[in-house]
Amino acid sequence: MSTRFDVIVVGAGPAGLTAAQQLASRGFKVLVIERGKKPGSKNVFGGRIYAHVLDRLYPEYVKEAPVERWVRRERVTFMTEDAWTTVDFETTKTEHRSFTTYLTNFVEWLGKKAESAGAVVVSEVPVDSLVIKDGRVVGVRAGNDEVYSDVVVVAEGINRLVLERSGLAPKLSPDIVALGVKEVIKLDKNTINERFGLDEDEGLAWVLAGYPTHYLPGGAFIYTNKEAITLGIVLYLKYGYQLDIPIYELIEEFRLHPLVKRLVKGGQLLEYSAHLTPVAGLNASPPNLYGNGYLVVGDAAGFLLHLGIIIRGVDFAMESGRLAAEAIIKAHDVGRYDAETLSIYGKMLEESFVLRELRTFRNAHKVLMEPRLYDDYVKLINKALARYFDVDGTPRRLGSTLLEAKGNITLLDLARDAIRVVMNL
Ligand SMILES: Cc1cc2nc3c(=O)[nH]c(=O)nc-3n(C[C@H](O)[C@H](O)[C@H](O)COP(=O)(O)OP(=O)(O)OC[C@H]3O[C@@H](n4cnc5c(N)ncnc54)[C@H](O)[C@@H]3O)c2cc1C
């Protein structure tokens, strides 16, 4: 392997591989370094990719990408131990807005795209740190080896030890991350279609709050693939210490809940994984998204939008990878890769959906960290509906049932929380 490249990309996830493919296809000599066995082997997500970003990058993706099912059904459930209330949205529109997939397969596909554009992808090499000389990033260090380049794209994901060790990001605080645990359960296609009310190739994305996290901030998810379902739990780490059981047992309990048990009956557990995820949006960003000789993309940059019922990381990762590539191409034309020249990356991010959306929802995590949303309100909804539907000759209006069920929650709390949710999510 040559020891000098135009660009080194640290991390073969959606962000890094997009940057690599874009640069290699424009003639840049690109090296991608991945610590996992191969691209995709270390990547974890819930299950769905919003396709808008692929329309521009890979217009042929509908035929080529490892799509499992197109999401046409969305569910949100507020669940307690013995009752649950679900909002179920379905559409007959068949345009391709989002699809379920295995991130491992999707990233492997992106890896092949980058390689066929000419990028060199090296696996099973963990980068230790960036090589910084005279205040400028000039390459990366892995063990005793140093590899040099004009510019480095840091795409190492949320666990950004390379940035930390290089003095470019502080340690992650529990306030800005959540831990996700996930299982893949094999079921045959017809069983999935029957149990989840789906037609051929139709997919379901489902989030559930309350009981799955012992009423702490976070939630559960279920996605349908062709012949398996993925289910998982995400818990805001800030509240981890309040949990009375180890986090990995939450998923076991969730799988055994009466609502879920009948859906996974007869299924075979194929896979278990766990991963951190940034949940504080831009509040999880390192101090600088670019500097002399480097740019930061994807989760490592805090580019994840978490709105409780929507989680979007992959489209943000890919778009930031694309913009980093554009910025490097422009810097190459100027002939310099210093912070001033690379600041074009910041400008392009500002004009893109990445920063526009993350800024719009910059307070979402504060609302989503409010424990009342997962505890009092989940219990209130189910208690009120249980009473309302329990006809025993006592006259009950919906309003009085709600007032009875609200317990210690004041009407002021209710009004304030409703306004915060509507204004920030
Ligand atoms: C439980 C869970 C559910 C999620 N659900 C969704 C969802 O449904 N939809 C969605 O869009 N997003 C979802 N996300 C978020 C999504 O997975 C991420 O936003 C996305 O993967 C970020 O891509 P990335 O390329 O920035 O980082 P990653 O995918 O984390 O890739 C980083 C890569 O860098 C490698 N790496 C790390 N350190 C080094 C090193 N030192 N040297 C070499 N290589 C290194 C890693 O092995 C990895 O391959 C979810 C996340 C979690 C945890």
Side-chain angles (χ1 to χ4, degrees):
M1 190 204 330
S2 158
T3 50
R4 181 152 193 101
F5 287 82
D6 296 331
V7 185
I8 295 175
V9 178
V10 180
L17 289 170
T18 304
Q21 187 275 342
Q22 293 287 297
L23 287 162
S25 64
R26 312 276 259 280
F28 284 74
K29 203 171 152 200
V30 183
L31 171 68
V32 183
I33 308 181
E34 167 57 40
R35 69 184 165 140
K37 269 198 165 46
K38 59 177 187 172
S41 62
K42 290 268 186 190
N43 308 85
V44 176
F45 92 147
R48 168 235 297 258
I49 292 177
Y50 289 90
H52 64 125
V53 73
L54 284 154
D55 290 334
R56 185 209 295 243
L57 282 166
Y58 301 110
E60 72 289 8
Y61 79 95
V62 172
K63 285 193 208 120
E64 282 186 6
V67 171
E68 288 285 316
R69 290 172 182 255
W70 294 98
V71 176
R72 305 238 163 77
R73 194 157 193 179
E74 311 257 359
R75 277 189 200 151
V76 182
T77 293
F78 306 98
M79 70 194 279
T80 65
E81 203 172 344
D82 53 9
W84 48 94
T85 304
T86 298
V87 178
D88 195 342
F89 169 83
E90 205 173 345
T91 175
T92 54
K93 290 200 175 136
T94 52
E95 74 240 38
H96 298 148
R97 310 300 303 166
S98 69
F99 58 89
T100 61
T101 184
Y102 295 103
L103 194 56
T104 43
N105 296 351
F106 184 74
V107 169
E108 199 178 342
W109 176 72
L110 289 180
K112 286 186 184 136
K113 287 277 176 199
E115 281 182 312
S116 55
V120 177
V121 181
V122 174
S123 298
E124 295 190 90
V125 177
V127 170
D128 295 319
S129 63
L130 302 172
V131 179
I132 304 179
K133 286 205 175 119
D134 302 325
R136 188 179 176 290
V137 173
V138 294
V140 301
R141 188 173 294 115
N144 293 326
D145 292 331
E146 286 189 357
V147 193
Y148 301 100
S149 62
D150 293 334
V151 61
V152 174
V153 177
V154 183
E156 59 178 328
I158 181 60
N159 210 2
R160 52 193 184 206
L161 294 174
V162 171
L163 282 178
E164 269 181 36
R165 288 191 204 113
S166 310
L168 297 173
K171 271 197 176 317
L172 283 176
S173 107
D175 290 1
I176 57 171
V177 285
L179 178 63
V181 287
K182 178 184 134 175
E183 289 181 354
V184 178
I185 296 179
K186 189 172 166 47
L187 282 169
D188 74 62
K189 197 175 189 169
N190 293 336
T191 307
I192 293 177
N193 291 349
E194 270 166 33
R195 287 186 189 171
F196 293 89
L198 300 168
D199 278 338
E200 199 68 11
D201 290 336
E202 273 185 354
L204 163 77
W206 192 353
V207 292
L208 310 96
Y211 173 84
T213 52
H214 285 203
Y215 308 100
L216 292 169
F221 57 81
I222 297 179
Y223 292 95
T224 56
N225 287 347
K226 275 194 188 108
E227 303 209 336
I229 61 169
T230 62
L231 56 95
I233 306 268
V234 174
L235 180 76
Y236 283 67
L237 270 192
K238 186 180 171 190
Y239 292 93
Y241 75 96
Q242 288 186 25
L243 198 63
D244 40 4
I245 57 169
I247 191 164
Y248 54 82
E249 281 182 17
L250 285 179
I251 200 162
E252 177 91 16
E253 280 189 358
F254 177 56
R255 199 175 356 92
L256 294 172
H257 185 279
L259 167 64
V260 183
K261 198 174 170 181
R262 61 190 180 201
L263 296 170
V264 299
K265 193 168 158 229
Q268 181 199 345
L269 182 62
L270 291 183
E271 194 184 302
Y272 174 87
S273 49
H275 205 280
L276 288 177
T277 181
V279 281
L282 293 178
N283 304 285
S285 296
N288 297 307
L289 297 173
Y290 55 86
N292 290 325
Y294 77 97
L295 304 114
V296 189
V297 295
D299 272 12
F303 295 157
L304 181 125
L305 185 62
H306 187 245
L307 298 177
I309 54 176
I310 291 179
I311 177 163
R312 284 170 56 193
V314 174
D315 55 330
F316 283 84
M318 293 181 74
E319 182 68 356
S320 59
R322 183 185 77 79
L323 295 176
E326 289 300 322
I328 289 170
I329 292 163
K330 288 197 162 52
H332 176 259
D333 294 342
V334 176
R336 289 198 319 263
Y337 295 94
D338 54 17
E340 195 192 336
T341 318
L342 291 175
S343 66
I344 185 79
Y345 175 53
K347 291 198 191 80
M348 288 191 291
L349 283 168
E350 294 283 353
E351 285 158 18
S352 73
F353 74 84
V354 175
L355 286 190
R356 278 208 313 264
E357 295 209 46
L358 288 170
R359 285 204 203 295
T360 303
F361 296 107
R362 73 173 320 142
N363 290 321
H365 74 288
K366 291 187 194 143
V367 178
L368 290 169
M369 282 203 193
E370 170 55 61
R372 273 198 297 268
L373 296 185
Y374 309 85
D375 191 344
D376 299 334
Y377 296 137
V378 169
K379 290 175 182 163
L380 184 158
I381 293 167
N382 285 295
K383 201 163 149 193
L385 289 175
R387 274 177 195 258
Y388 192 67
F389 292 128
D390 183 17
V391 174
D392 62 359
T394 316
R396 284 193 191 103
R397 286 206 184 91
L398 196 52
S400 57
T401 327
L402 273 170
L403 284 177
E404 256 177 64
K406 81 175 180 49
N408 292 333
I409 311 167
T410 65
L411 287 177
L412 190 64
D413 283 340
L414 261 169
R416 205 173 42 205
D417 289 337
I419 291 170
R420 291 182 76 210
V421 166
V422 172
M423 298 305 286
N424 290 295
L425 298 185

